[in-house]
């Protein structure tokens, strides 16, 4: 009987230990569920707050939409004027673009004309130089000794002028 009592006592201790372990596990599960419930409540509060803000924003937007529709209805008779104004602005922009294009083209043309004038100037200068050279050669050929004498006379006139200038400088 002592044996039965010992077995019952051991069984009773085992059941109590098992119950205690099971109770602790249940307690941990309950605590975990309470934490999850608290998180869910917080998330729900945040969600409800966001929903409230969105609802308020939606109401504000609906009011603004109504105001804009009313304004649109009020201004609809003037839509043709607005269309004309847009047309005028568009045409004005096109004219400005055209004017800029014409101005650019004119500047390019002017630049090309200046380049051509410069080329013609160089050509004429070179032509004049060659013509003078040819004239001098022809004059030398035709006049011969007379041309040489004229050059000599010119050279002597330059020397005379230089000496006269020098004498005047010393006399002062």
């Amino acid at each position: 009987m002592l044996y039965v009592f010992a077995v019952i006592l051991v069984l009773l201790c085992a059941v109590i230990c098992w119950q205690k372990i099971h109770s602790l596990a249940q307690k941990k599960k309950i605590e975990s569920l309470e934490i999850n419930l608290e998180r869910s409540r917080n998330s729900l509060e945040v969600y409800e707050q966001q929903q409230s803000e969105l609802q308020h924003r939606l109401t504000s937007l609906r009011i603004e939409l109504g105001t804009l529709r009313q304004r649109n209805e009020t201004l609809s008779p003037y839509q043709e004027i607005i269309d004309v104004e847009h047309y005028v602005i568009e045409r004005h922009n096109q004219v400005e673009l055209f004017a800029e294009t014409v101005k650019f083209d004119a500047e390019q043309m002017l630049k090309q004309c200046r380049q051509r004038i410069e080329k013609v100037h160089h050509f004429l200068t070179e032509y004049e130089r060659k013509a003078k050279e040819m004239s001098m050669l022809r004059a030398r050929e035709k006049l011969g000794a007379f041309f040489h004498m004229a050059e000599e006379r010119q050279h002597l006139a330059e020397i005379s002028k230089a000496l006269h200038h020098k004498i005047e400088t010393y006399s002062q």
Side-chain angles (χ1 to χ4, degrees):
M1 170 126 159
L2 199 50
Y3 180 70
V4 172
F5 183 69
V7 169
I8 291 177
L9 190 59
V10 169
L11 282 177
L12 193 56
C13 281
V15 168
I16 289 175
C17 281
W18 179 79
Q19 186 67 22
K20 193 72 159 165
I21 291 172
H22 185 67
S23 173
L24 286 175
Q26 289 297 329
K27 200 179 217 181
K28 284 183 182 178
K29 284 181 182 178
I30 289 172
E31 287 175 2
S32 174
L33 288 173
E34 284 176 348
I35 290 171
N36 285 340
L37 178 62
E38 189 61 32
R39 270 194 233 140
S40 296
R41 283 182 182 156
N42 289 339
S43 296
L44 182 61
E45 285 177 14
V46 170
Y47 173 74
E48 286 174 347
Q49 184 179 4
Q50 288 175 347
Q51 183 183 12
S52 174
E53 289 171 2
L54 289 174
Q55 191 67 29
H56 177 70
R57 179 76 176 133
L58 181 62
T59 303
S60 298
L61 288 174
R62 283 182 180 157
I63 292 170
E64 187 177 344
L65 177 64
T67 305
L68 289 174
R69 280 185 180 160
Q70 182 182 7
R71 184 170 182 218
N72 189 24
E73 288 173 10
T74 305
L75 295 177
S76 65
Y78 305 106
Q79 185 62 39
E80 290 178 9
I81 295 171
I82 293 171
D83 293 342
V84 168
E85 182 181 9
H86 283 89
Y87 176 76
V88 168
I89 290 170
E90 182 180 329
R91 295 303 279 174
H92 177 73
N93 290 340
Q94 288 174 350
V95 167
E96 283 182 351
L97 180 64
F98 179 72
E100 287 295 322
T101 304
V102 168
K103 182 180 175 184
F104 177 76
D105 290 346
E107 287 173 355
Q108 291 300 319
M109 238 184 208
L110 181 63
K111 185 177 178 182
Q112 289 174 352
C113 287
R114 285 183 178 153
Q115 289 174 347
R116 286 182 184 169
I117 289 170
E118 189 67 27
K119 285 181 182 178
V120 168
H121 178 70
H122 287 302
F123 173 77
L124 290 176
T125 305
E126 186 64 25
Y127 185 77
E128 180 183 16
R129 187 188 61 77
K130 286 182 181 179
K132 282 182 182 179
E133 233 177 66
M134 291 299 288
S135 296
M136 292 295 275
L137 284 175
R138 284 186 192 151
R140 280 185 185 157
E141 286 174 5
K142 288 186 179 184
L143 297 175
F146 293 117
F147 185 79
H148 182 61
M149 286 170 54
E151 282 183 330
E152 183 80 20
R153 183 175 174 207
Q154 187 177 7
H155 180 66
L156 288 175
E158 288 174 2
I159 291 173
S160 172
K161 188 176 180 181
L163 287 173
H164 181 56
H165 180 66
K166 199 166 199 157
I167 291 171
E168 283 182 13
T169 305
Y170 283 125
S171 65
Q172 291 178 359

